[in-house]
Amino acid sequence: MSGASQGSTAIVVATELGSAPGGLAWAAAVAVGAARGVPDAEPLPVLLIELGDGAGRGPTMLASRAARNLERRLRAAGFGAASARGALCWLSLRNDGEECFRDALAAVHGAAALAIVFAPPEAARGILEDRELRPVGALARADLTSDRVLAALTVGELSARGQLARIEKRALGVLASRRALAGIDPGGPASLRARRIASAFAGRADRVRSTAMRRRPAGSFVSPAGQALPLALGLALALVLGALVLVALGASVAGAERGQSAADLAAISAVRSMRDDLPRLVAPATLPDGSPNPYRLDKAAYLERARTAASSAARRNGLDPRRVMITFPDAASPAPVTALVKVTASARPAIAPAAGDRIETVLRAEAEAIPPATAVAGGSVAPGQAAGGGYSGPLEYRQGKPMRPDVALAFDRMAAAAERSGLALQINSAFRSDAEQARLFAANPDPRWVAPPGTSLHRCATELDLGPRSADPWLATNAGRFGFLQRYSWEPWHYGYTRGPAPCSVAGNQTGAPDGHSSHGAELPAFVPTAYRDTLIAAAARWNVSSGLLAAQLEAESSFNPRAVSPAGALGIAQFMPATAATYGLRDPFDPAAAIDAQAHLMSDLLRQFGSPALALAAYNAGPGAVAACDCVPGYPETQAYVARILGLMDASGELALPAPLEVRLIR
């Protein structure tokens, strides 16, 4: 990048807008693209500043000379958190460290070709408007689906400042994000796009310098032909710039549209909060040693966090919080996943029939979390038997990731020990078939980072990629106590289980849970009453159905009330309709033991018919005919909410999770 030779450092601001995740990974990818701007050349010195409350990132074993030089320079200036990571030098600073942030830029002034500053929107706004820093542009991760209404309004503001903007509407994949955050080229199409973005920022920096040298007036930049800016920024970037204020609701059609967009964002923000917090809501109240579980949220806190997220989104989008009402239509459910936002605004009509007359405008937005369509197709969700790899035995699920049963039991013990130390272990990857490995390798054919299909130990169902990164020291010290070995020195997250049969062996294929069924049979979720635990375990074993599935279903159906009667006529703890009860020989639906056994029998039949827990649950609620007609979860709101709640309850206990998270969508 020619900026390095001109004795100055170009500054680019990066951020995440709204609830869109993945901005930091994109910032890192573009930084890597800038550092690797010239193929086969020494990487340029590029600094990535993470301004926020993150824990920071340590140095990597493989780092470029340019990154290490920047690291030394910053550490000499007192910035001990500077770390050389691949092609980048990474520096983590707190949100409130504005002066420290300026000192860091001063420390590398002229030594870094580019500084990308990742900041939350409220901090990014100030940096973008700083006339002394003169950032060349902004890189933002945003969801533009509902934010196009204000696109035209933001174009003028950015053009007047002569700042280049790049918006990424899709997050990087897991592997690409991991590589980018390590300072390595993310690979595939993401790599090409990141390099193009980096090149555009470099070109803009050169043009800004040239303009300054000719003493052109500020704001007089004119984009040359072929360099049209992608200015479909939407509402999200308007929040960062802070230059636009929503007009009064009802004052015009455009104002009403913007108000509706703000209400939609508030509802979506609430449901995203509930989706992300769902595992904490249904987590056990106590740890294995009997002490309170600090990870768990009670329902009041769960809903309050969602309410806060909605209020914050409404406020950032120009709505008066006093006129926003947030409710949860399914608040009585064990696991609510729906939010309703109402906005009232008083405004004068365009043509008032009499002086002083006002009208009341009411906007409504409702959102929900549902199983993703791609996760409910027949047979695609949570197979119980591995196929297409080096392991062909039964699979157990933890946090939605499949693995050998003995590996799952060992992970349970290790995760419990980590929780006692204040850590919540995350499983980022487990069993992968050869077909899945082939797709990963095709996207990034570098055997140093992705094993070719047929060679990865992940195909043996004994390997776990664990996080978060803050758990690396604990794992390095303690994982061996539970039979896990760090396979490769350069992958501190990759652990393989070594106490059972050898990976990809005949003995490994025959590994099963000690009781012959789900290893969770004796470890039912904490919400299961003691009186029904043995009954559930026995029914699950008899009909070869997950006891966790049955438990979550009973919690959603009746909250374990054996005398429950629904308005539709469903009876008992398992809510059988009389005709279905008769079909399964259930004479008394109010007999909990008999009803649970019949429930397990019915679910066994539905699982065999539809091959997927999500579809079997939908058939239990809406009837097999409705599910068979579309081979999907039918579009009935009640059925979709029912399936989402039960899968959420199961996800928290590690019994089963979707291969993709619950989708957040607007209902109206």
Side-chain angles (χ1 to χ4, degrees), residues 163-176:
Q163 291 171 326
L164 179 62
R166 285 292 187 267
I167 302 299
E168 287 306 320
K169 58 184 179 181
R170 293 185 179 87
L172 289 174
V174 174
L175 182 60

Side-chain angles (χ1 to χ4, degrees), residues 335-661:
V337 288
T338 305
L340 173 64
V341 173
K342 292 182 180 179
V343 183
T344 60
S346 181
R348 282 191 171 85
I351 303 177
D357 282 1
R358 304 184 73 84
I359 59 174
E360 196 76 10
T361 301
V362 179
L363 302 175
R364 293 169 58 93
E366 188 171 1
E368 66 176 358
I370 62 169
T374 56
V376 297
S380 65
V381 177
Q385 195 80 7
Y391 174 68
S392 58
L395 290 171
E396 287 286 324
Y397 285 80
R398 298 296 184 270
Q399 301 177 17
K401 305 300 189 296
M403 64 196 73
R404 222 168 63 179
D406 57 337
V407 179
L409 289 173
F411 174 78
D412 289 342
R413 292 190 289 269
M414 184 167 67
E419 280 188 326
R420 290 192 291 271
S421 300
L423 292 170
L425 294 183
Q426 302 168 359
I427 305 176
N428 297 319
S429 182
F431 169 74
R432 290 198 295 265
S433 69
D434 281 342
E436 293 173 289
Q437 193 70 27
R439 287 193 291 271
L440 286 177
F441 189 74
N444 185 30
D446 184 348
R448 295 173 299 176
W449 297 100
V450 180
T455 64
S456 171
L457 286 177
H458 278 286
R459 62 200 286 269
C460 304
T462 55
E463 310 303 296
L464 301 178
D465 288 347
L466 300 173
R469 291 302 302 273
S470 57
D472 286 354
W474 187 93
L475 287 168
T477 302
N478 296 281
R481 294 194 289 126
F482 306 95
F484 288 96
L485 171 71
Q486 183 182 335
R487 294 290 193 190
Y488 312 110
S489 61
W490 61 89
E491 290 187 350
W493 57 83
H494 183 165
Y495 283 83
Y497 186 61
T498 60
R499 287 186 184 167
C504 293
S505 64
V506 174
N509 293 339
Q510 297 171 352
T511 303
D515 56 6
H517 61 283
S518 171
S519 61
H520 274 277
E523 301 175 12
L524 288 169
F527 57 72
V528 179
T530 303
Y532 301 119
R533 299 179 80 86
D534 290 343
T535 303
L536 266 171
I537 293 170
R542 179 183 181 190
W543 298 106
N544 193 28
V545 179
S546 160
S547 56
L549 170 60
L550 298 180
Q553 193 176 15
L554 290 173
E555 174 71 12
E557 289 283 2
S558 67
S559 295
F560 289 91
N561 178 7
R563 309 304 300 174
V565 178
S566 78
L571 308 173
I573 193 170
Q575 291 290 279
F576 271 94
M577 296 298 288
T580 308
T583 299
Y584 281 84
L586 179 59
R587 296 180 180 179
D588 182 6
F590 297 110
D591 178 348
I596 290 173
D597 187 77
Q599 171 207 10
H601 188 179
L602 173 56
M603 285 303 295
S604 177
D605 290 347
L606 294 174
L607 285 165
R608 189 179 305 109
Q609 178 180 355
F610 294 106
S612 140
L615 296 185
L617 288 167
Y620 192 99
N621 180 265
V627 176
C630 66
D631 195 29
C632 69
V633 175
Y636 311 143
E638 176 190 345
T639 300
Q640 292 182 334
Y642 173 83
V643 173
R645 290 186 195 112
I646 294 175
L647 292 177
L649 287 165
M650 296 175 70
D651 189 22
S653 64
E655 184 71 27
L656 171 145
L658 296 170

Side-chain angles (χ1 to χ4, degrees), residues 19-338:
S19 299
L24 184 59
W26 264 113
V30 172
V32 172
R36 302 285 189 185
V38 180
D40 301 324
E42 171 70 18
L44 295 170
V46 172
L47 175 65
L48 178 59
I49 298 179
E50 182 184 2
L51 189 62
D53 296 323
R57 297 174 185 273
T60 59
M61 292 179 60
L62 302 177
S64 70
R65 181 169 54 188
R68 293 193 188 279
N69 288 340
L70 285 182
E71 178 190 59
R72 283 193 291 269
R73 186 163 181 149
L74 284 166
R75 294 197 174 204
F79 293 94
S83 300
R85 296 177 59 82
L88 309 177
C89 180
W90 196 294
L91 178 61
S92 297
L93 300 174
R94 291 183 55 83
N95 266 347
D96 54 4
E98 182 176 347
E99 292 304 317
C100 189
F101 153 68
R102 291 175 175 275
D103 290 343
L105 290 176
V108 298
H109 184 69
L114 176 71
I116 294 185
V117 184
F118 179 81
E122 60 271 16
R125 171 187 173 184
I127 300 171
L128 282 166
E129 294 178 341
D130 195 303
R131 294 185 178 181
E132 181 181 345
L133 294 177
R134 297 181 65 193
V136 298
L139 168 69
R141 166 76 181 97
D143 180 2
L144 299 183
T145 303
S146 56
D147 294 343
R148 296 185 183 277
V149 176
L150 295 183
L153 297 176
T154 60
V155 168
E157 185 70 27
L158 292 171
S159 298
R161 292 183 182 178
Q163 291 171 326
L164 179 62
R166 285 292 187 267
I167 302 299
E168 287 306 320
K169 58 184 179 181
R170 293 185 179 87
L172 289 174
V174 174
L175 182 60
S177 295
R178 182 182 298 168
R179 290 174 61 89
L181 295 174
I184 302 170
D185 195 304
S191 175
L192 297 176
R193 177 153 180 78
R195 291 190 182 192
R196 285 197 295 268
I197 294 173
S199 177
F201 282 130
R204 176 55 58 87
D206 288 342
R207 287 195 292 275
V208 170
R209 293 188 191 95
S210 176
T211 299
M213 290 170 61
R214 293 196 303 269
R215 297 184 179 181
R216 292 179 58 178
S220 64
F221 171 78
V222 179
S223 177
Q227 297 293 327
L229 304 182
L231 292 171
L233 302 182
L235 175 61
L237 191 56
L239 302 179
V240 173
L241 298 177
L244 303 173
V245 179
L246 290 177
V247 298
L249 297 180
S252 66
V253 173
E257 288 177 349
R258 291 193 292 274
Q260 184 64 61
S261 177
D264 292 346
L265 286 172
I268 287 175
S269 296
V271 175
R272 281 176 174 158
S273 171
M274 290 192 286
R275 178 197 62 187
D276 295 343
D277 283 345
L278 194 56
R280 298 186 63 185
L281 172 67
V282 297
T286 59
L287 297 176
D289 62 2
S291 61
N293 185 355
Y295 178 71
R296 185 177 186 271
L297 285 176
D298 61 27
K299 189 190 290 188
Y302 171 80
L303 294 178
E304 185 57 33
R305 285 166 63 92
R307 193 184 308 277
T308 299
S311 297
S312 176
R315 184 174 57 255
R316 293 197 314 268
N317 285 277
L319 296 180
D320 184 346
R322 295 170 297 179
R323 297 187 176 275
V324 178
M325 183 174 66
I326 304 156
T327 58
F328 306 98
D330 59 345
S333 162
V337 288
T338 305

